[in-house]
Amino acid sequence: MHRGVELTAFLVNESRARQPDLAEDPLAAAWIPDSDRPAVRALWDEFADVVYPHDDLVVSLRGRYIMDTLAAALRKDPDTVLVVCGAGFSSYPWLLPFKVALEVDLPDMIEAKQRRVAKLVASGVLPERDVRHLPVDLGSRAGRDELSSLVRELADGRPVAYVAEGLVFYLSPEAARAVVGLGAAFDSCAVTAVSYWPAAAAGSQVLADQRDWFRSRSVPEEAAYLTHDELTSLLGTEIEDRGPEDLQRRYLDQVIVPESDLIPEYVAVSWNVPEEAGAAG
């Protein structure tokens, strides 16, 4: 089992598998190989003991909101091209009928994803999809330029739905801001969805515990925080900005766990289409 940043991908899938009705991701558990499943569950339990026991709630809410946003983009235009940065073992291209999708992550992660996709398609668990993979470090300008060039070629004028999930807070502040604004370089970006840590939560004890836990597993020391105003400026339009309490109200009709007890991961969504066509959900 991986011990670096790729490790978080297994935790995300385990979290979503523990909240199937909320996450609406029936493929979440399938990405974890049977041989790794006991170790992943044990690792999740360790994370729950050391950091907090609500990762299943926050990660499921995040994924559900992003998936609703992507579904809205497809309703607007079925030819929308999906681009997911920090893809990990996400299921979006197989849960939603995108004609073409591009998943972007670090080389080791992409290699692992491609191997798993091949096995799950061969066994009939995943449907056939045109999903491309780009192994690249988005912390580098060269990596971002490569991605922008590839997306413009792949989309060829079609609208793009751009997702950067669980990624920007692991980058330097400069790289984080660049990744947030990448969609603008695609020329035909219809919607951007980015998960981030708000600057106001930089002193969160839960977040500090999470950082300590992941640092012991080779996650970079540096962390990036963003503000609502920064995101609005980077994306060039007004944004829908939803935190853990907002998403609990949206999908659970109540706040079960206060934000002070959670990793404060927010999701910002920016539409470059008329408002009536872009309202998610």
Side-chain angles (χ1 to χ4, degrees):
M1 187 171 59
H2 298 294
R3 301 303 298 173
V5 176
E6 314 89 69
L7 174 65
T8 63
F10 287 120
L11 291 180
V12 166
N13 287 84
E14 177 66 14
S15 289
R16 287 177 177 161
R18 293 184 181 217
Q19 293 268 12
D21 294 336
L22 179 58
E24 290 194 349
D25 182 357
L27 298 174
W31 292 105
I32 306 171
D34 289 342
S35 59
D36 284 333
R37 200 171 303 278
V40 171
R41 288 172 177 161
L43 189 69
W44 196 99
D45 290 339
E46 178 191 329
F47 183 77
D49 290 341
V50 174
V51 181
Y52 78 147
H54 305 299
D55 199 56
D56 54 345
L57 174 67
V58 172
V59 170
S60 295
L61 288 168
R62 178 184 84 190
R64 176 75 173 276
Y65 185 48
I66 290 173
M67 190 154 59
D68 281 356
T69 299
L70 296 177
L74 278 174
R75 289 195 297 272
K76 170 62 179 175
D77 192 328
D79 284 331
T80 297
V81 174
L82 174 62
V83 177
V84 183
C85 293
F89 289 105
S90 65
S91 304
Y92 303 124
W94 294 271
L95 293 174
L96 296 166
F98 286 96
K99 294 178 181 178
V100 180
L102 174 66
E103 294 195 318
V104 185
D105 215 314
L106 294 168
D108 287 350
M109 187 67 244
I110 288 296
E111 183 181 350
K113 182 70 172 280
Q114 289 175 320
R115 288 198 305 268
R116 194 64 183 153
V117 167
K119 290 182 179 180
L120 293 177
V121 169
S123 64
V125 174
L126 293 184
E128 291 278 0
R129 290 282 195 270
D130 185 357
V131 182
R132 323 286 177 89
H133 291 96
L134 177 64
V136 72
D137 180 2
L138 293 176
S140 72
R141 181 184 295 273
R144 297 190 294 271
D145 288 346
E146 182 179 354
L147 171 60
S148 296
S149 177
L150 178 58
V151 172
R152 286 194 296 270
E153 179 182 345
L154 185 64
D156 192 24
R158 291 177 293 180
V160 173
Y162 173 61
V163 176
E165 180 182 9
L167 166 68
V168 300
F169 29 77
Y170 294 124
L171 301 174
S172 70
E174 178 185 6
R177 289 190 287 270
V179 169
V180 167
L182 263 179
F186 300 159
D187 298 332
S188 58
C189 189
V191 62
T192 291
V194 177
S195 70
Y196 74 100
W197 293 338
S204 162
Q205 184 57 53
V206 178
L207 190 51
D209 292 342
Q210 189 255 25
R211 295 292 296 157
D212 288 342
W213 193 81
F214 276 115
R215 282 192 189 103
S216 68
R217 289 158 175 81
S218 302
V219 170
E221 292 278 342
E222 196 166 20
Y225 304 90
L226 296 163
T227 67
H228 179 94
D229 289 346
E230 278 183 296
L231 287 160
T232 300
S233 176
L234 289 166
L235 295 172
T237 63
E238 286 300 316
I239 61 174
E240 304 165 11
D241 202 5
R242 303 287 182 262
E245 291 192 1
D246 300 316
L247 294 176
Q248 287 180 73
R249 293 187 188 97
R250 181 185 181 95
Y251 294 110
L252 301 174
D253 296 321
Q254 60 180 319
V255 175
I256 296 174
V257 182
E259 189 169 313
S260 58
D261 292 339
L262 301 172
I263 290 175
E265 187 169 358
Y266 279 53
V267 181
V269 173
S270 170
W271 289 94
N272 295 320
V273 294
E275 180 68 24
E276 63 269 21

